[in-house]
Amino acid sequence: MPRMKVAIFVEPGRIALDEKPVPEIGPLDALVRITTTTICGTDVHILKGEYPVARGLTIGHEPVGIIEKLGSAVQGYREGQRVIAGAITPSGHSEACLCGFHSQDGAGTKHGWKPLGGWRFGNTIDGCQAEYVLVPDAMANLAPVPDGLTDEQVLMCPDIMSTGFSGAESGRIRIGDTVAVFAQGPIGLCATAGARLMGASTIIAVESVPARMEVARRMGADHVVDFTKADPVEEIRRLTGGRGVDVSIEALGRQETFEASLRVLRPGGTLSSLGVYSSDLRIPLDGFMAGLGDHTIRTTLCPGGKERMRRLLEVVASGRVDTRPLVTHRFKLDQIEEAYDLFAHQRDGVLKVAITP
């Protein structure tokens, strides 16, 4: 049986290069040969033991590749075709999917709902930091890459762009809104870009790393607040004349940024939460206005499925958003442990890494 290189979760604190058999596909699946993938902050949560997965699982959920083999029932695709698949791979037929909640896909359950059920790669099935990946329900999940686009142009579509844009979408940003985006890591930067696409007239980014502050401006931030030099809540209040923002997007997953995101809202504003939290959250009484502020708090898991991917690919092809500046480092799959060490410790100005065979 042919074998392939994979990055597996060994134990908390260790993800290592190993080998596994190349997957055998079923009638509805596709086998994709990975040409480029990356490491996500969620993978670091797995590495640290903050999010539990099975030992020996292949990690990763952001594939760009070429169809190697198609299941017997898969139609509309061809072997040799360049494709991406979303980090979320819904079945397309569960009650959750049919209600539009693909990320909470409960295919196989009695009621059709499962928390985080659409996130399968590197969570409940083997993922993409490998030479090959099995894509389940291929007709619901594979999106052809338009001719002329490079792997690095589309690498953020499976997760980072989809998640960041969803922060703006869940905030229901309207033309002319003022928006604050807390943290300008890869997801926060895509949330900034998404806010601009949706028509925000003023975007305030919160960040302290100079390189990220510069990329935030390129992505659409009108103001960048350095939280090491000024209290971000006070500064955002000053920038908005004391009014507060219409929408705040929390893109880090920490108590302090969640609180700040709530405190900068105007009455009736929306907090769109994208962070992955590792402990219980506390809601500050003053920021919550004792529960009488008409606030909305929305949480979002990365949208997936082929139509979501098609739309994101169209945004990239149109030139409206360029996420190539987010790729700051490049590694071979053989160097995956080195890549994790760099990315997990956020050294050398890393934003995202590109992993190639």
Side-chain angles (χ1 to χ4, degrees):
M1 183 177 294
R3 298 182 69 81
M4 63 178 183
K5 298 174 184 176
V6 296
I8 64 166
F9 174 72
V10 179
E11 60 187 0
R14 188 178 175 211
I15 287 174
L17 190 68
D18 204 340
E19 284 192 354
K20 287 184 178 180
V22 173
E24 295 186 2
I25 61 173
L28 295 174
D29 305 329
L31 181 67
V32 171
R33 175 168 56 85
I34 299 296
T35 55
T36 309
T37 188
T38 184
I39 298 173
C40 179
T42 306
D43 299 329
V44 175
H45 284 288
I46 291 171
L47 170 66
K48 293 179 178 179
E50 295 169 346
Y51 185 88
V53 299
R55 298 189 181 213
L57 185 76
T58 303
I59 305 303
H61 50 259
E62 298 162 274
V64 183
I66 296 171
I67 297 174
E68 184 80 7
K69 187 176 181 181
L70 291 170
S72 59
V74 177
Q75 300 178 9
Y77 300 89
R78 58 179 172 78
E79 293 175 0
Q81 189 172 22
R82 290 181 68 222
V83 291
I84 63 171
I88 301 301
T89 52
S91 66
H93 59 74
S94 70
E95 283 87 338
C97 288
L98 295 175
C99 288
F101 291 92
H102 300 92
S103 303
Q104 316 301 330
D105 179 19
T109 68
K110 182 179 180 180
H111 44 71
W113 296 81
K114 182 181 179 182
L116 282 63
W119 174 26
R120 294 191 271 183
F121 287 146
N123 182 22
T124 58
I125 65 174
D126 280 337
C128 310
Q129 290 167 17
E131 292 182 286
Y132 295 91
V133 67
L134 183 154
V135 178
D137 300 299
M139 288 189 291
N141 290 298
L142 290 179
V145 176
D147 292 340
L149 294 183
T150 67
D151 279 16
E152 289 194 6
Q153 280 180 285
V154 305
L155 181 57
M156 301 302 134
C157 293
D159 182 0
I160 301 304
M161 184 188 290
S162 188
T163 300
F165 281 15
S166 72
E169 293 164 312
S170 292
R172 295 178 180 170
I173 293 170
R174 297 181 297 176
I175 292 172
D177 271 354
T178 297
V179 178
V181 185
F182 283 80
Q184 293 295 291
I187 287 177
L189 288 166
C190 286
T192 295
R196 180 176 64 174
L197 283 175
M198 293 191 70
S201 58
T202 303
I203 301 171
I204 306 167
V206 179
E207 184 51 69
S208 67
V209 178
R212 296 186 177 199
M213 295 169 76
E214 179 56 33
V215 177
R217 293 185 180 96
R218 292 169 64 180
M219 289 291 184
D222 300 286
H223 306 277
V224 183
V225 175
D226 184 342
F227 63 85
T228 66
K229 297 180 179 178
D231 181 284
V233 174
E234 292 180 2
E235 186 64 10
I236 291 171
R237 287 284 178 185
R238 184 189 70 79
L239 289 169
T240 59
R243 174 182 181 271
V245 300
D246 300 287
V247 178
S248 62
I249 301 174
E250 198 289 308
L252 187 60
R254 292 184 180 174
Q255 177 68 39
E256 58 267 33
T257 46
F258 180 85
E259 286 191 24
S261 297
L262 190 57
R263 287 191 167 110
V264 300
L265 286 178
R266 63 158 171 80
T270 298
L271 191 166
S272 178
S273 172
L274 294 175
V276 178
Y277 302 97
S278 300
S279 60
D280 289 345
L281 284 174
R282 301 180 305 279
I283 295 180
L285 184 64
D286 60 335
F288 198 49
M289 298 180 189
L292 303 175
D294 287 330
H295 291 138
T296 299
I297 298 175
R298 294 281 306 275
T299 64
T300 305
L301 175 58
C302 170
K306 70 177 182 183
E307 173 61 9
R308 176 69 170 185
M309 294 300 105
R310 183 196 68 80
R311 289 173 177 269
L312 296 179
L313 289 167
E314 289 294 329
V315 171
V316 173
S318 73
R320 309 254 179 192
V321 171
D322 182 5
T323 60
R324 284 175 293 182
L326 275 61
V327 179
T328 55
H329 296 72
R330 294 161 182 86
F331 295 87
K332 295 295 185 181
L333 182 59
D334 286 341
Q335 302 169 297
I336 192 72
E337 295 174 46
E338 180 184 343
Y340 263 101
D341 186 64
L342 173 79
F343 188 75
H345 293 95
Q346 289 292 289
R347 293 197 307 269
D348 194 29
V350 65
L351 277 171
K352 290 287 282 186
V353 299
I355 309 293
T356 54

